[in-house]
């Protein structure tokens, strides 16, 4: 039985500003394990995007794609699949808006087209995209991105009851099955992996972390985080590039 579980968001939280994991954070994860505390990645990213993080940290329990794909100790616990019918509906709507959509599962992704937003996005994420508008017809799709700057409410209103959309960065909307979030992913992790009742902590910085904060005992906001995230935190640590993870873990006595 673990003494505690700790969920780590990646971008703006566990990562530095160049999307790397610091030696300090790797050492903190190793100390958590020595203290019989389970580290878990909880991210809007998909597993194939962060294999280098899994390799560097040894963390193989993940809530990925904002709760759309969950695995425990390397084994799938839960995967949400968006139906072809709903995908075709949002494709038609996005086409009218002039927006690009990307399809994801835990193994790969494809775009309906490329534009300036997608080029910047995937350059920052260190990913090489390919265009395959019919990807969804031959692959399971757990998660979508809709590329635009300011159409949050438009899409949220149009797909209420079908899809949950949340802005994770300025360029795109993370898009999941209705009701799916980091919170539901954490619920699945805790129940299916027999971790319920163990003290739980979560580190995050952006709006897609708010529901995660609702599910844990001790939500920790990064100093560089969104004001709404800080407002919901039980503790606000320093920034992601100023020992934020270590200082937060030390605040709760999880590491020395």
């Amino acid at each position: 039985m673990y003494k505690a579980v700790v969920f780590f968001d990646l971008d703006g939280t566990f990562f530095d500003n160049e999307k790397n994991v610091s030696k300090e954070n790797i050492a903190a994860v190793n100390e958590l394990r020595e203290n019989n505390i389970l580290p878990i990645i909880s991210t809007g990213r998909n597993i194939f995007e962060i294999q280098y993080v899994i390799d560097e940290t040894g963390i193989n329990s993940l809530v990925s794609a904002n709760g759309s794909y969950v695995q425990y100790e390397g084994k799938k616990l839960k995967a949400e699949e968006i139906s072809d019918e709903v995908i075709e509906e949002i494709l038609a709507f996005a086409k009218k808006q002039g927006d690009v959509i990307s399809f994801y599962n835990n193994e790969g992704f494809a775009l309906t087209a490329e534009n300036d937003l997608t080029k910047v996005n995937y350059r920052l994420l260190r990913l090489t995209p390919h265009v395959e508008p019919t990807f969804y017809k031959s692959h399971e799709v757990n998660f979508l991105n809709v590329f635009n700057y300011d159409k949050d409410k438009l899409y949220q209103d149009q797909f209420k009851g079908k899809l949950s959309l949340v802005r994770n960065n300025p360029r795109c909307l993370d898009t999941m099955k209705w009701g799916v979030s980091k919170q539901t992913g954490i619920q699945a992790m805790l129940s299916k992996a027999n971790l319920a009742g163990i003290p739980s902590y979560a580190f995050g910085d952006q709006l897609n972390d708010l529901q995660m904060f609702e599910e844990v005992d001790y939500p920790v906001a990064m100093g560089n985080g969104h004001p709404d995230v800080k407002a919901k935190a039980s503790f606000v640590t320093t920034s992601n590039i100023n020992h934020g993870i270590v200082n937060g873990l030390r605040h709760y006595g999880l590491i020395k």
Side-chain angles (χ1 to χ4, degrees):
M1 176 71 73
Y2 289 105
K3 289 168 56 179
V5 293
V6 184
F7 295 90
F8 295 106
D9 173 54
L10 293 179
D11 295 277
T13 301
F14 199 69
F15 283 159
D16 63 21
N17 290 346
E18 283 70 51
K19 314 298 183 185
N20 296 314
V21 182
S22 67
K23 292 181 179 179
E24 176 183 71
N25 286 351
I26 292 173
V29 164
N30 290 334
E31 188 173 347
L32 287 176
R33 290 197 189 93
E34 291 172 3
N35 294 336
N36 197 31
I37 296 169
L38 178 66
I40 300 173
I41 292 170
S42 182
T43 180
R45 294 191 185 220
N46 295 265
I47 289 177
F48 74 88
E49 302 178 67
I50 57 168
Q51 188 59 51
Y52 72 101
V53 182
I54 296 169
D55 294 340
E56 289 177 1
T57 65
I59 299 175
N60 61 359
S61 296
L62 301 98
V63 174
S64 67
N66 280 340
S68 297
Y69 191 94
V70 181
Q71 75 173 39
Y72 176 63
E73 296 183 345
K75 297 180 180 179
K76 182 174 77 172
L77 285 183
K78 185 179 183 182
E80 305 284 355
E81 184 173 2
I82 302 174
S83 71
D84 287 1
E85 180 182 2
V86 171
I87 289 174
E88 289 173 356
E89 187 176 342
I90 195 170
L91 285 176
F93 188 77
K95 185 176 181 179
K96 292 179 181 178
Q97 306 303 318
D99 295 339
V100 171
I101 285 181
S102 56
F103 315 101
Y104 290 85
N105 58 36
N106 64 306
E107 296 179 341
F109 78 110
L111 296 173
T112 57
E114 285 191 297
N115 62 16
D116 290 343
L117 289 181
T118 67
K119 290 174 182 176
V120 171
N121 192 70
Y122 291 114
R123 183 170 65 248
L124 291 172
L125 295 177
R126 304 178 185 175
L127 294 174
T128 302
H130 75 280
V131 174
E132 187 181 344
T134 59
F135 178 90
Y136 69 96
K137 293 184 178 180
S138 56
H139 299 80
E140 178 178 296
V141 174
N142 311 122
F143 177 86
L144 303 168
N145 274 148
V146 181
F147 286 87
N148 58 61
Y149 282 123
D150 57 2
K151 301 174 185 175
D152 306 41
K153 190 173 188 305
L154 180 67
Y155 277 88
Q156 289 163 353
D157 289 347
Q158 180 69 25
F159 292 97
K160 186 175 182 180
K162 295 181 180 180
L163 294 169
S164 293
L165 298 101
V166 61
R167 186 163 297 280
N168 191 25
N169 72 47
R171 296 166 296 280
C172 61
L173 292 165
D174 286 357
T175 306
M176 296 73 65
K177 282 181 67 174
W178 178 254
V180 172
S181 66
K182 286 187 178 183
Q183 182 177 17
T184 63
I186 289 174
Q187 288 171 347
M189 175 73 76
L190 295 178
S191 63
K192 292 178 180 292
N194 297 315
L195 300 171
I198 299 172
S200 56
Y201 303 77
F203 287 72
D205 71 310
Q206 285 301 322
L207 296 177
N208 67 330
D209 295 316
L210 285 174
Q211 288 182 308
M212 173 173 73
F213 277 17
E214 294 291 333
E215 196 60 33
V216 300
D217 300 315
Y218 304 99
V220 180
M222 307 304 291
N224 52 288
H226 191 284
D228 291 352
V229 177
K230 292 179 180 179
K232 292 289 185 179
S234 61
F235 178 68
V236 178
T237 186
T238 49
S239 77
N240 63 313
I241 58 172
N242 187 28
H243 317 290
I245 295 295
V246 167
N247 288 338
L249 293 173
R250 284 176 176 163
H251 174 79
Y252 286 106
L254 301 176
I255 64 173
K256 294 182 179 179

